């Protein structure tokens, strides 16, 4: 059995519990069954956490501070599904206690904090993953295969839009509106920045504008994170990129568009059309094709592929693929990179997000500087 302790039973904690349960039922058989050993939550969230623990079958719910549980914890894998301020310290502490670590994005609210998380976890030798789930969307994986195969020629341009209305109808502001990394750049942009790195290559320079119009109805918050941002970047391979994200978008429930142009063709993905890609080669016009053929990497994840064909995947399935990749790494010693994002990827994205905020504040073009894990310069 691979025993799992999870911190946080909110939106994404429930998704990860569901994913772990789904991995149990996958045809991609794991060496050991995953076991939902322990859920750590706050006393304030006792009622909903009790329901979540019962719904997914956690063996215990613990409401004391995670710091009191690290040493005695007998888990193999720690899943950090708490809000951003809990990511670094809890991940480092569990890794230092010998647990493999899976942590939500953004890895931290600042580049220094993310670097501390990466360095602290890396030094222990445990497996680590930062949950950039887009890497596990079969269409994105297919896009990467096609780009690497040269189907669109030399890559010149990456374009992304991530628009998701995150306002609470009551007007109340969630922790995202005040905690570092919770703004449009850290929360939404980080996903598409990681996809750019995954599909095209590392970001070298970036310039950006951010905007904040949200107001704290109680007038208590000193700082409100960015509601939206637009950025332009250059990549190591000479390509250019644009990023555009907002959490205040009247008409968009969830728009997530990613396009890559090359010398020969262009390829396009839209989150609301999760099972499709669009390709245009040599100005031949856009052709839409399904990514659900028998050769997609998870076509037989739940059911055999055969005369009954391959079926569409959902956003929820992508989380199961991601968790399965982590469980395989834990059980078989396989690499999290490069199909999965590691804490190094989480750190690098944090450097880029910080450069976005700084570029906007300083009205500047920022060269993104990346440190290695042993670099102590801040
Ligand atoms: N990969 C994705 O697509 C995706 C989607 C949503 C959220 N996220 C990330 O997941 C993280 C959590 O987001 P969410 O939407 O689930 O937030 P949420 O507010 O719904 O849930 C967070 C939970 O953590 C609990 N918590 C807070 N501090 C704690 C502590 N010290 N100890 C134990 N429990 C604690 C809260 O009570 C709450 O139940 C964020 O970092 C977010 O960026 C990722």
């Amino acid at each position: 059995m691979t025993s799992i302790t999870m911190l946080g039973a909110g939106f994404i904690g429930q998704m990860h519990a569901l994913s772990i349960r789904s991995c149990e039922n996958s045809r991609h058989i794991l060496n050991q069954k995953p076991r939902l050993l322990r859920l750590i939550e706050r006393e304030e969230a006792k009622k909903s956490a009790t329901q979540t623990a019962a719904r997914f079958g956690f063996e215990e719910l613990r409401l004391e501070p995670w710091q009191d549980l690290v040493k005695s914890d007998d888990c193999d894998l720690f899943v950090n599904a708490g809000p951003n301020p809990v990511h670094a310290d809890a991940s480092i502490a569990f890794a230092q206690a010998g647990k493999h670590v899976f942590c939500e994005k953004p890895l931290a609210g600042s580049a220094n904090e993310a670097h501390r998380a990466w360095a602290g976890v890396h030094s222990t030798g445990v497996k680590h993953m930062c949950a950039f789930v887009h890497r596990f969307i079969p269409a994105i994986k297919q896009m990467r295969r096609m780009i690497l195969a040269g189907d669109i020629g030399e890559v010149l341009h990456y374009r992304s839009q991530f628009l998701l209305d995150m306002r609470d109808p009551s007007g109340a502001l969630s922790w995202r509106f005040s905690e570092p990394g919770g703004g449009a750049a850290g929360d939404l942009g980080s996903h598409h920045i990681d996809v750019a790195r995954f599909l095209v290559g590392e970001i070298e320079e970036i310039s950006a504008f951010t905007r904040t119009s949200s107001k704290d109805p109680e007038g208590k918050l000193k700082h409100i994170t960015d509601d939206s941002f637009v950025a332009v970047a250059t990549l190591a391979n000479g390509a250019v990129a644009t990023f555009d994200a907002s959490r205040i978008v009247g008409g968009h429930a969830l728009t997530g568009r990613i396009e890559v142009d090359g010398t020969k063709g262009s390829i396009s993905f839209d989150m609301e059309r999760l099972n499709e890609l669009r390709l245009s080669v040599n100005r031949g016009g856009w052709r839409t094709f399904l990514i659900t053929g028998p050769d997609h990497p998870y076509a037989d994840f739940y059911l055999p592929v055969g005369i009954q064909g391959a079926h569409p995947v959902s956003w929820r399935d992508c989380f199961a693929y991601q968790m399965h990749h982590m469980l395989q790494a834990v059980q078989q010693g396989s690499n999290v990179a490069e199909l999965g994002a590691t804490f190094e990827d989480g750190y690098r994205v944090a450097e880029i997000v910080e450069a976005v905020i700084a570029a906007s504040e300083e009205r500047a073009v920022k060269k993104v500087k990346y440190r290695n894990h042993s670099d102590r310069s801040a």
Side-chain angles (χ1 to χ4, degrees):
M1 292 261 210
T2 299
S3 298
I4 297 167
T5 288
M6 189 171 87
L7 182 153
F11 176 81
I12 212 68
Q14 293 175 47
M15 178 58 98
H16 292 316
L18 184 61
S19 302
I20 292 161
R21 285 285 178 235
S22 306
C23 290
E24 262 180 49
N25 302 318
S26 170
R27 295 180 74 250
H28 294 203
I29 306 289
L30 291 163
N31 295 349
Q32 297 158 33
K33 218 172 144 76
R35 170 186 176 207
L36 289 175
L37 175 68
R38 189 165 294 127
L39 177 61
I40 306 176
E41 252 294 351
R42 298 178 305 163
E43 184 67 40
E44 301 92 290
K46 182 175 179 179
K47 193 169 164 212
S48 62
T50 303
Q51 284 170 355
T52 301
R55 185 152 69 97
F56 294 103
F58 280 90
E59 292 172 28
E60 21 174 292
L61 169 64
R62 302 292 290 263
L63 298 170
E64 55 264 60
W66 61 262
Q67 291 88 339
D68 296 352
L69 295 164
V70 179
K71 290 254 155 56
S72 61
D73 199 301
D74 45 352
C75 73
D76 304 297
L77 169 64
F78 173 61
V79 173
N80 193 338
N84 306 349
V86 186
H87 290 177
D89 283 341
S91 295
I92 295 169
F94 275 87
Q96 286 177 346
K99 321 302 177 195
H100 302 287
V101 180
F102 173 103
C103 182
E104 260 308 333
K105 48 52 64 179
L107 190 53
S110 70
N112 278 346
E113 189 76 343
H115 184 265
R116 191 170 68 81
W118 173 38
V121 168
H122 175 86
S123 65
T124 66
V126 301
K127 297 285 177 191
H128 46 88
M129 183 187 256
C130 181
F132 285 121
V133 71
H134 282 64
R135 292 181 181 222
F136 292 90
I137 297 173
I140 299 280
K141 273 203 193 307
Q142 176 64 14
M143 231 171 153
R144 186 169 189 261
R145 275 203 294 250
M146 292 169 73
I147 291 168
L148 289 175
D151 291 4
I152 60 166
E154 186 194 335
V155 174
L156 303 172
H157 198 151
Y158 173 94
R159 221 169 10 262
S160 99
Q161 272 188 326
F162 201 164
L163 310 171
L164 175 61
D165 202 332
M166 300 177 84
R167 286 172 294 180
D168 188 318
S170 72
L173 300 184
S174 78
W175 59 264
R176 283 180 168 79
F177 287 75
S178 56
E179 289 297 345
D187 196 39
L188 302 175
S190 62
H191 274 300
H192 280 200
I193 288 168
D194 184 64
V195 175
R197 300 175 60 252
F198 186 57
L199 294 182
V200 183
E202 196 55 276
I203 289 171
E204 280 195 341
E205 295 171 302
I206 199 153
S207 190
F209 291 100
T210 64
R211 282 287 175 275
T212 303
S213 55
S214 294
K215 301 248 175 330
D216 174 14
E218 296 176 19
K220 287 186 189 152
L221 294 179
K222 287 200 184 77
H223 173 73
I224 297 186
T225 53
D226 46 301
D227 288 327
S228 56
F229 85 102
V230 288
V232 291
T234 60
L235 278 73
N237 64 353
V240 289
T242 59
F243 300 91
D244 168 358
S246 179
R247 64 182 177 197
I248 297 186
V249 275
H252 295 264
L254 196 165
T255 294
R257 292 192 191 117
I258 292 167
E259 290 187 355
V260 184
D261 302 319
T263 45
K264 216 165 93 184
S266 300
I267 187 161
S268 172
F269 167 76
D270 181 344
M271 184 73 132
E272 287 176 321
R273 321 273 316 170
L274 197 71
N275 289 274
E276 294 175 1
L277 281 178
R278 293 192 317 132
L279 177 71
S280 173
V281 178
N282 295 328
R283 301 188 200 171
W286 290 98
R287 184 173 65 83
T288 303
F289 61 95
L290 287 171
I291 50 82
T292 51
D295 58 338
H296 101 63
Y298 299 104
D300 61 347
F301 192 77
Y302 294 112
L303 296 164
V305 179
I307 55 167
Q308 301 184 31
H311 294 78
V313 299
S314 71
W315 184 70
R316 198 186 72 190
D317 295 329
C318 305
F319 278 85
Y321 308 153
Q322 174 179 243
M323 188 55 77
H324 192 276
H325 187 75
M326 182 70 200
L327 287 168
Q328 269 184 328
V330 168
Q331 294 183 2
Q332 297 166 16
S334 51
N335 289 336
V336 169
E338 52 190 66
L339 292 182
T342 63
F343 271 39
E344 178 174 8
D345 294 298
Y347 153 68
R348 286 180 164 248
V349 171
E351 284 284 8
I352 300 162
V353 168
E354 196 160 287
V356 164
I357 306 292
S360 173
E361 283 171 1
E362 298 166 24
R363 296 290 187 265
V365 178
K366 304 296 286 187
K367 186 154 180 55
V368 189
K369 293 196 192 100
Y370 302 101
R371 292 166 258 174
N372 70 31
H373 58 81
S374 56
D375 191 343
R376 305 216 177 269
S377 65

